[in-house]
Every structure is written in C-alpha cells, then in structure tokens.
Amino acid sequence: MKNLLVTGGAGFIGSNFVHYWIKNYPQDTVVVLDALTYAGNLESLSSVKGNHNYKFYKGDICDTALIELILKEHHIDTVVHFAAESHVDRSITGPDAFIQTNIIGTHSLLKAVKKVWLDEGYNKETHRFHHVSTDEVYGSLEVKDPAFSESHQYAPNSPYSASKAASDHLVRAYHHTYGLNVTTSNCSNNYGPYHFPEKLIPLVITNILLDKPLPIYGDGKQIRDWLYVEDHARGIDLVIKKGRLGECYNIGGINEWANIDIVNLICGLMNAEFMENPSLIERFPSACRVHKGLAQELITYVTDRAGHDRRYAIDPSKSNEELGYQPKESFESGICKTIRWYLENEEWWQSILDGTYQK
C-alpha cells in the first residue's frame, strides 16, 4: 500500500492520474493538493469525491508548512508533482506566475519533503518524489532531427519551458546533494478527457460545437508528439515502480502530427459524428457548419506565436527498454475517445467557458 500526495491533482493530467491510480490501486490513499487556479477544476474529480481513500486540500505548493502537515498527517511516502503553470501563451504575456509556481513552488515542495522524510526520518528509506516535466525543456527540433533522448541538452525557448527546466534541475540537485529519492519524467503533448479548453485539441472540438473560428498559428506546420493522457499515467506508474533513483525517463507516443493536420482530422471526425448521430444537431444548435459537414470552414490562420518552437518529438526507448512501457492508445483511437468525451460532457467544458466552474 502507498500513501500518495498528488500536487496539481485537479488539473488536466493530474486528475486523469488520480482516476487511473484509484481505479488500479483502490487500497492506496490518494491526497490531492491543488490551488484551484484557472486550470484547476474540482469537477474533474467529482467521481472520486466519495472514496474513503481520497482526500482533497485546497492549497498552494509554496505553502511549505501545509506540505509538511499533509506529509505527516497522511503518512505520505510518495509525492507525484504535477502542479505547474503550463500554457506557453500565458507564459509569454505573464511569466511571473510561471517562475513562482514552477520554480519557487517546486523548491518549496522539495524543502518540505527533505525536512520530513530525511531530516525528521519519516519514510526515510522508502519515500519517492516523482517530478512530472515536459519535452519542451529540450528546445526545438528541425524536421529531420532525431527525437529528444534523456541525454539531449536542455535548451528551453519560452518562459514556461525555462521555468520547467529550472525545476528539473532543482529535483536533480536534491537527489545528488541530499540523497532524496527522486525520479523525473518528460512527456510529449497530452490529450484526452478533462483537458482545459484553451489547449489545441479541446479548443478545436469546443469551437466547432460553438461555430467559432479555429485559430491556426502561422502556417500550422508545427509538429508535436501526442500522447493519450491515460498512457501518460501508466508511464508514471512504471517509473515510480521500476525507475532508477535520480534518473529521467521520456514518456512519448511516437506519434508526430503537424497542428494543421490534427485540426483537419478533428474537423473530419466531427463532421462524421454529426452525420452518424442526428441527435447532436438538436443538442448543439449553434454548430452550424459541422451540421452541414463543413467544420473545416472554421479554420482561420493567425499571426504565429512569439518564439514558437517548430517541432518536439520524444524518444521513449529508455522507458520502453528499462520499464517495459508502451502506449496502449493509437492517436486514431485516442482522438475518437476524446471527441466523444467532449460531446458527452458539455456541462464540464461549458462551465469553464462560462467561468462558473468550482474553484
């Protein structure tokens, strides 16, 4: 049995991880800490609310005293650290929050777990601090460059990726300096249920349903490696169980797509969904173009983002070979699941767009 503290557990990837862990390890205790800023949503955890092994705290990872209290009160032996500001556009217009949460917040967590686990001796031998990072710390690739491996030099290009790179280095330092049991995973772009609607895939789906433009930065040929969010949770599980202390593991889908191709794919799938299910026309009366099978007409090209990285791609060979990791979902199966989830959970995403979701 484990006692987990999941930071940022009301966010997109964090909430999916909580669902995954409770489903697969019902005997374990899962404590969620989330500040419920704009991307944190308690409705994403509503299905586990009554579980007696689940506990939620609204709080900031910068509150070291609160972290220490939670670690002791719930005998926490494993921290899975998702909490982060993660939207690149927001980091360009307001980088301060990214420095505060991603760097200062991570350091606050590390100070708390060092004090409780190492200095005071709670779970001194059996603890684990798992840090969830991103492929963006490695910088940008040209089209023919090999994918990022764990030995790739860090070269972050946005305030977001720079703040995540700094947090990665802090985690590494606490292992090598103090002996903290840490692992880090760097993942490719996630997609799936509970994804905040400002991100590409949910934005395209919800904008089609609202008959709004589908904004494409620049020429739309920026390439990303996509990973279904439950496959990410499965990868983290393997790192926690089998990963070597102090090591980093890339978790990727080996699934590269240009942004414009993803948008066209979603448009086509949405056209097909409405053609096959006429009741959707009644449920989404505003979705005029997709009613006619013309969702692609909403595509609108806009000025490219400042410092926009051209390509990310993850080489997951180390995770495959050391941990036996393989994603279960293809992009085709995962994107169909994602579209159907958004069609079936209008109340969840509409409350975010309306600003009425629980904070």
CSV table of all heavy atoms in Angstrom, one decimal, residues 270-311:
chain,number,residue,atom,x,y,z
A,270,MET,N,-15.5,15.1,-36.5
A,270,MET,CA,-16.7,15.8,-36.0
A,270,MET,C,-17.8,15.8,-37.1
A,270,MET,O,-18.9,15.6,-36.8
A,270,MET,CB,-16.3,17.2,-35.6
A,270,MET,CG,-15.4,17.3,-34.4
A,270,MET,SD,-16.3,16.9,-32.8
A,270,MET,CE,-17.2,18.5,-32.6
A,271,ASN,N,-17.4,16.1,-38.3
A,271,ASN,CA,-18.4,16.0,-39.4
A,271,ASN,C,-19.1,14.6,-39.4
A,271,ASN,O,-20.3,14.5,-39.6
A,271,ASN,CB,-17.7,16.3,-40.8
A,271,ASN,CG,-17.3,17.7,-41.0
A,271,ASN,OD1,-17.8,18.6,-40.3
A,271,ASN,ND2,-16.3,17.9,-41.9
A,272,ALA,N,-18.2,13.6,-39.3
A,272,ALA,CA,-18.8,12.2,-39.3
A,272,ALA,C,-19.7,11.9,-38.2
A,272,ALA,O,-20.7,11.3,-38.3
A,272,ALA,CB,-17.6,11.2,-39.4
A,273,GLU,N,-19.3,12.4,-37.0
A,273,GLU,CA,-20.1,12.2,-35.8
A,273,GLU,C,-21.5,12.8,-35.9
A,273,GLU,O,-22.5,12.2,-35.6
A,273,GLU,CB,-19.4,12.8,-34.5
A,273,GLU,CG,-18.2,12.1,-34.0
A,273,GLU,CD,-18.6,10.8,-33.2
A,273,GLU,OE1,-19.8,10.7,-32.8
A,273,GLU,OE2,-17.7,10.0,-33.0
A,274,PHE,N,-21.6,14.0,-36.5
A,274,PHE,CA,-22.9,14.7,-36.7
A,274,PHE,C,-23.7,14.0,-37.8
A,274,PHE,O,-24.9,13.9,-37.7
A,274,PHE,CB,-22.7,16.2,-37.0
A,274,PHE,CG,-22.5,17.0,-35.7
A,274,PHE,CD1,-21.4,17.0,-35.0
A,274,PHE,CD2,-23.6,17.8,-35.3
A,274,PHE,CE1,-21.3,17.8,-33.8
A,274,PHE,CE2,-23.5,18.6,-34.2
A,274,PHE,CZ,-22.3,18.6,-33.4
A,275,MET,N,-23.0,13.5,-38.8
A,275,MET,CA,-23.7,12.8,-39.8
A,275,MET,C,-24.3,11.5,-39.3
A,275,MET,O,-25.4,11.1,-39.7
A,275,MET,CB,-22.8,12.5,-41.0
A,275,MET,CG,-23.4,11.9,-42.2
A,275,MET,SD,-22.3,11.7,-43.6
A,275,MET,CE,-21.9,13.4,-43.9
A,276,GLU,N,-23.6,10.8,-38.4
A,276,GLU,CA,-24.0,9.5,-37.9
A,276,GLU,C,-25.0,9.6,-36.8
A,276,GLU,O,-25.7,8.6,-36.5
A,276,GLU,CB,-22.8,8.7,-37.5
A,276,GLU,CG,-21.8,8.3,-38.6
A,276,GLU,CD,-20.5,7.7,-38.1
A,276,GLU,OE1,-20.4,7.5,-36.9
A,276,GLU,OE2,-19.6,7.6,-38.9
A,277,ASN,N,-25.0,10.7,-36.1
A,277,ASN,CA,-25.8,10.9,-34.9
A,277,ASN,C,-26.6,12.2,-35.0
A,277,ASN,O,-26.2,13.2,-34.5
A,277,ASN,CB,-25.0,10.9,-33.7
A,277,ASN,CG,-25.8,10.9,-32.4
A,277,ASN,OD1,-27.0,11.0,-32.4
A,277,ASN,ND2,-25.1,10.8,-31.2
A,278,PRO,N,-27.8,12.2,-35.7
A,278,PRO,CA,-28.6,13.4,-35.9
A,278,PRO,C,-29.0,14.1,-34.6
A,278,PRO,O,-29.3,15.3,-34.6
A,278,PRO,CB,-29.8,12.9,-36.6
A,278,PRO,CG,-29.4,11.6,-37.3
A,278,PRO,CD,-28.4,11.0,-36.3
A,279,SER,N,-29.0,13.4,-33.5
A,279,SER,CA,-29.4,14.0,-32.2
A,279,SER,C,-28.4,15.1,-31.8
A,279,SER,O,-28.8,16.0,-31.0
A,279,SER,CB,-29.5,12.9,-31.1
A,279,SER,OG,-28.3,12.4,-30.8
A,280,LEU,N,-27.2,15.0,-32.3
A,280,LEU,CA,-26.2,16.0,-32.0
A,280,LEU,C,-26.6,17.4,-32.5
A,280,LEU,O,-26.3,18.4,-31.9
A,280,LEU,CB,-24.8,15.6,-32.5
A,280,LEU,CG,-24.1,14.4,-31.9
A,280,LEU,CD1,-22.9,14.1,-32.6
A,280,LEU,CD2,-23.8,14.7,-30.4
A,281,ILE,N,-27.3,17.4,-33.6
A,281,ILE,CA,-27.8,18.7,-34.2
A,281,ILE,C,-28.7,19.4,-33.2
A,281,ILE,O,-28.7,20.6,-33.0
A,281,ILE,CB,-28.4,18.4,-35.6
A,281,ILE,CG1,-27.4,17.9,-36.5
A,281,ILE,CG2,-29.1,19.7,-36.1
A,281,ILE,CD1,-27.9,17.5,-37.9
A,282,GLU,N,-29.6,18.6,-32.5
A,282,GLU,CA,-30.5,19.2,-31.6
A,282,GLU,C,-29.8,19.6,-30.3
A,282,GLU,O,-30.1,20.6,-29.7
A,282,GLU,CB,-31.6,18.1,-31.2
A,282,GLU,CG,-32.5,17.7,-32.4
A,282,GLU,CD,-33.5,16.7,-32.0
A,282,GLU,OE1,-33.7,16.5,-30.7
A,282,GLU,OE2,-34.1,16.0,-32.8
A,283,ARG,N,-28.8,18.8,-29.9
A,283,ARG,CA,-28.0,19.2,-28.7
A,283,ARG,C,-27.1,20.4,-28.9
A,283,ARG,O,-26.8,21.1,-27.9
A,283,ARG,CB,-27.2,18.0,-28.2
A,283,ARG,CG,-28.0,16.8,-27.6
A,283,ARG,CD,-27.1,15.7,-27.2
A,283,ARG,NE,-26.1,16.2,-26.3
A,283,ARG,CZ,-24.9,15.7,-26.2
A,283,ARG,NH1,-24.5,14.7,-27.0
A,283,ARG,NH2,-24.0,16.3,-25.4
A,284,PHE,N,-26.6,20.6,-30.1
A,284,PHE,CA,-25.7,21.7,-30.3
A,284,PHE,C,-26.2,22.5,-31.5
A,284,PHE,O,-25.6,22.5,-32.6
A,284,PHE,CB,-24.3,21.1,-30.6
A,284,PHE,CG,-23.7,20.3,-29.5
A,284,PHE,CD1,-23.7,18.9,-29.6
A,284,PHE,CD2,-23.1,20.9,-28.4
A,284,PHE,CE1,-23.2,18.1,-28.5
A,284,PHE,CE2,-22.5,20.2,-27.4
A,284,PHE,CZ,-22.6,18.8,-27.5
A,285,PRO,N,-27.2,23.3,-31.3
A,285,PRO,CA,-27.9,24.0,-32.4
A,285,PRO,C,-27.0,25.1,-33.0
A,285,PRO,O,-27.2,25.5,-34.1
A,285,PRO,CB,-29.1,24.6,-31.7
A,285,PRO,CG,-28.8,24.6,-30.3
A,285,PRO,CD,-28.0,23.4,-30.0
A,286,SER,N,-26.0,25.6,-32.2
A,286,SER,CA,-25.1,26.6,-32.7
A,286,SER,C,-24.1,26.1,-33.7
A,286,SER,O,-23.4,26.9,-34.4
A,286,SER,CB,-24.4,27.3,-31.5
A,286,SER,OG,-25.3,27.9,-30.6
A,287,ALA,N,-23.9,24.8,-33.7
A,287,ALA,CA,-22.8,24.2,-34.5
A,287,ALA,C,-23.2,24.2,-36.0
A,287,ALA,O,-23.3,23.1,-36.6
A,287,ALA,CB,-22.4,22.9,-34.0
A,288,CYS,N,-23.4,25.3,-36.6
A,288,CYS,CA,-24.0,25.4,-37.9
A,288,CYS,C,-23.2,24.7,-39.0
A,288,CYS,O,-23.7,24.0,-39.8
A,288,CYS,CB,-24.2,26.9,-38.3
A,288,CYS,SG,-25.3,27.7,-37.2
A,289,ARG,N,-21.9,24.9,-39.0
A,289,ARG,CA,-21.1,24.4,-40.1
A,289,ARG,C,-20.9,22.9,-40.0
A,289,ARG,O,-21.0,22.2,-41.0
A,289,ARG,CB,-19.7,25.1,-40.2
A,289,ARG,CG,-19.8,26.5,-40.7
A,289,ARG,CD,-18.5,27.2,-40.7
A,289,ARG,NE,-18.6,28.6,-41.2
A,289,ARG,CZ,-19.0,29.6,-40.6
A,289,ARG,NH1,-19.5,29.5,-39.3
A,289,ARG,NH2,-19.0,30.8,-41.1
A,290,VAL,N,-20.7,22.4,-38.8
A,290,VAL,CA,-20.5,20.9,-38.7
A,290,VAL,C,-21.8,20.2,-39.0
A,290,VAL,O,-21.8,19.1,-39.4
A,290,VAL,CB,-19.9,20.6,-37.3
A,290,VAL,CG1,-21.0,20.7,-36.2
A,290,VAL,CG2,-19.3,19.2,-37.3
A,291,HIS,N,-23.0,20.9,-38.8
A,291,HIS,CA,-24.2,20.3,-39.2
A,291,HIS,C,-24.2,19.9,-40.6
A,291,HIS,O,-24.8,18.9,-41.0
A,291,HIS,CB,-25.4,21.3,-38.9
A,291,HIS,CG,-25.7,21.6,-37.5
A,291,HIS,ND1,-26.7,22.4,-37.1
A,291,HIS,CD2,-25.2,21.1,-36.3
A,291,HIS,CE1,-26.7,22.5,-35.8
A,291,HIS,NE2,-25.8,21.7,-35.3
A,292,LYS,N,-23.5,20.7,-41.4
A,292,LYS,CA,-23.5,20.6,-42.9
A,292,LYS,C,-22.3,19.8,-43.3
A,292,LYS,O,-22.0,19.7,-44.5
A,292,LYS,CB,-23.5,21.9,-43.6
A,292,LYS,CG,-24.7,22.8,-43.2
A,292,LYS,CD,-24.6,24.2,-43.8
A,292,LYS,CE,-25.7,25.1,-43.3
A,292,LYS,NZ,-25.5,26.5,-43.8
A,293,GLY,N,-21.5,19.3,-42.4
A,293,GLY,CA,-20.3,18.6,-42.7
A,293,GLY,C,-19.2,19.5,-43.2
A,293,GLY,O,-18.3,19.1,-44.0
A,294,LEU,N,-19.2,20.8,-42.7
A,294,LEU,CA,-18.3,21.8,-43.2
A,294,LEU,C,-17.4,22.4,-42.1
A,294,LEU,O,-17.1,23.6,-42.1
A,294,LEU,CB,-19.0,22.9,-44.0
A,294,LEU,CG,-19.8,22.4,-45.2
A,294,LEU,CD1,-20.7,23.6,-45.7
A,294,LEU,CD2,-18.9,21.9,-46.3
A,295,ALA,N,-17.0,21.6,-41.1
A,295,ALA,CA,-16.3,22.1,-40.0
A,295,ALA,C,-15.0,22.8,-40.4
A,295,ALA,O,-14.5,23.8,-39.8
A,295,ALA,CB,-16.0,21.0,-39.0
A,296,GLN,N,-14.4,22.3,-41.5
A,296,GLN,CA,-13.1,22.9,-42.0
A,296,GLN,C,-13.2,24.4,-42.3
A,296,GLN,O,-12.2,25.1,-42.3
A,296,GLN,CB,-12.6,22.1,-43.2
A,296,GLN,CG,-12.0,20.8,-42.8
A,296,GLN,CD,-13.0,19.6,-42.8
A,296,GLN,OE1,-14.2,19.9,-42.8
A,296,GLN,NE2,-12.5,18.4,-42.9
A,297,GLU,N,-14.4,24.8,-42.6
A,297,GLU,CA,-14.6,26.2,-43.0
A,297,GLU,C,-14.3,27.2,-41.8
A,297,GLU,O,-14.1,28.4,-42.0
A,297,GLU,CB,-16.0,26.5,-43.5
A,297,GLU,CG,-16.3,25.9,-44.8
A,297,GLU,CD,-17.7,26.3,-45.4
A,297,GLU,OE1,-18.4,27.0,-44.6
A,297,GLU,OE2,-18.0,26.0,-46.5
A,298,LEU,N,-14.2,26.6,-40.6
A,298,LEU,CA,-13.9,27.4,-39.4
A,298,LEU,C,-12.4,27.7,-39.3
A,298,LEU,O,-12.0,28.5,-38.4
A,298,LEU,CB,-14.4,26.8,-38.2
A,298,LEU,CG,-16.0,26.6,-38.1
A,298,LEU,CD1,-16.4,25.7,-37.0
A,298,LEU,CD2,-16.6,28.0,-37.9
A,299,ILE,N,-11.6,27.0,-40.0
A,299,ILE,CA,-10.1,27.2,-39.9
A,299,ILE,C,-9.7,28.6,-40.3
A,299,ILE,O,-10.1,29.1,-41.3
A,299,ILE,CB,-9.4,26.1,-40.7
A,299,ILE,CG1,-9.6,24.7,-40.2
A,299,ILE,CG2,-7.9,26.5,-40.8
A,299,ILE,CD1,-9.0,23.6,-41.1
A,300,THR,N,-9.0,29.2,-39.3
A,300,THR,CA,-8.6,30.6,-39.5
A,300,THR,C,-7.1,30.7,-39.2
A,300,THR,O,-6.7,30.4,-38.0
A,300,THR,CB,-9.4,31.5,-38.6
A,300,THR,OG1,-10.8,31.3,-38.9
A,300,THR,CG2,-9.0,33.0,-38.9
A,301,TYR,N,-6.3,31.2,-40.1
A,301,TYR,CA,-4.8,31.4,-39.8
A,301,TYR,C,-4.6,32.7,-39.1
A,301,TYR,O,-5.1,33.8,-39.5
A,301,TYR,CB,-4.0,31.3,-41.1
A,301,TYR,CG,-4.0,29.9,-41.7
A,301,TYR,CD1,-5.0,29.5,-42.5
A,301,TYR,CD2,-3.0,29.1,-41.3
A,301,TYR,CE1,-5.0,28.2,-43.1
A,301,TYR,CE2,-2.9,27.8,-41.8
A,301,TYR,CZ,-3.9,27.3,-42.7
A,301,TYR,OH,-3.9,26.0,-43.2
A,302,VAL,N,-3.8,32.7,-38.1
A,302,VAL,CA,-3.5,33.9,-37.3
A,302,VAL,C,-2.0,34.1,-37.2
A,302,VAL,O,-1.2,33.1,-37.5
A,302,VAL,CB,-4.1,33.8,-35.9
A,302,VAL,CG1,-5.6,33.7,-36.0
A,302,VAL,CG2,-3.5,32.7,-35.1
A,303,THR,N,-1.5,35.2,-36.7
A,303,THR,CA,-0.1,35.5,-36.6
A,303,THR,C,0.6,34.5,-35.6
A,303,THR,O,0.0,34.1,-34.6
A,303,THR,CB,0.1,36.9,-36.0
A,303,THR,OG1,-0.5,37.9,-36.9
A,303,THR,CG2,1.6,37.3,-35.9
A,304,ASP,N,1.7,34.0,-36.0
A,304,ASP,CA,2.4,33.0,-35.2
A,304,ASP,C,2.8,33.5,-33.9
A,304,ASP,O,3.0,34.7,-33.7
A,304,ASP,CB,3.7,32.5,-36.0
A,304,ASP,CG,4.1,31.1,-35.6
A,304,ASP,OD1,3.4,30.5,-34.7
A,304,ASP,OD2,5.0,30.6,-36.2
A,305,ARG,N,2.9,32.6,-32.9
A,305,ARG,CA,3.2,32.9,-31.5
A,305,ARG,C,4.7,33.3,-31.5
A,305,ARG,O,5.5,32.7,-32.2
A,305,ARG,CB,3.0,31.7,-30.7
A,305,ARG,CG,3.3,31.9,-29.2
A,305,ARG,CD,2.7,30.7,-28.4
A,305,ARG,NE,3.3,29.5,-28.7
A,305,ARG,CZ,2.8,28.3,-28.4
A,305,ARG,NH1,1.6,28.2,-27.8
A,305,ARG,NH2,3.4,27.2,-28.6
A,306,ALA,N,5.0,34.2,-30.6
A,306,ALA,CA,6.5,34.6,-30.4
A,306,ALA,C,7.3,33.4,-29.9
A,306,ALA,O,6.9,32.7,-29.0
A,306,ALA,CB,6.5,35.7,-29.4
A,307,GLY,N,8.4,33.2,-30.6
A,307,GLY,CA,9.3,32.1,-30.2
A,307,GLY,C,8.8,30.7,-30.3
A,307,GLY,O,9.1,29.8,-29.6
A,308,HIS,N,7.9,30.5,-31.3
A,308,HIS,CA,7.1,29.3,-31.4
A,308,HIS,C,8.1,28.2,-31.9
A,308,HIS,O,8.7,28.2,-33.0
A,308,HIS,CB,6.0,29.4,-32.5
A,308,HIS,CG,4.9,28.5,-32.3
A,308,HIS,ND1,3.7,28.6,-33.0
A,308,HIS,CD2,4.8,27.4,-31.5
A,308,HIS,CE1,2.9,27.6,-32.7
A,308,HIS,NE2,3.6,26.8,-31.8
A,309,ASP,N,8.3,27.1,-31.0
A,309,ASP,CA,9.1,26.0,-31.4
A,309,ASP,C,8.5,25.2,-32.6
A,309,ASP,O,7.3,25.0,-32.6
A,309,ASP,CB,9.3,25.1,-30.2
A,309,ASP,CG,10.2,25.7,-29.1
A,309,ASP,OD1,11.0,26.6,-29.4
A,309,ASP,OD2,10.0,25.3,-27.9
A,310,ARG,N,9.4,24.8,-33.5
A,310,ARG,CA,8.9,24.2,-34.7
A,310,ARG,C,8.5,22.7,-34.5
A,310,ARG,O,7.5,22.3,-35.0
A,310,ARG,CB,9.9,24.3,-35.8
A,310,ARG,CG,9.4,24.0,-37.2
A,310,ARG,CD,8.4,25.1,-37.6
A,310,ARG,NE,8.0,24.9,-39.0
A,310,ARG,CZ,7.0,25.6,-39.6
A,310,ARG,NH1,6.3,26.4,-38.8
A,310,ARG,NH2,6.7,25.4,-40.8
A,311,ARG,N,9.2,22.0,-33.7
A,311,ARG,CA,8.9,20.6,-33.6
A,311,ARG,C,9.4,20.1,-32.3
A,311,ARG,O,10.5,20.4,-31.8
A,311,ARG,CB,9.6,19.8,-34.7
A,311,ARG,CG,9.5,18.3,-34.6
A,311,ARG,CD,10.1,17.6,-35.8
A,311,ARG,NE,10.3,16.1,-35.6
A,311,ARG,CZ,11.5,15.5,-35.5
A,311,ARG,NH1,12.6,16.2,-35.7
A,311,ARG,NH2,11.5,14.2,-35.3
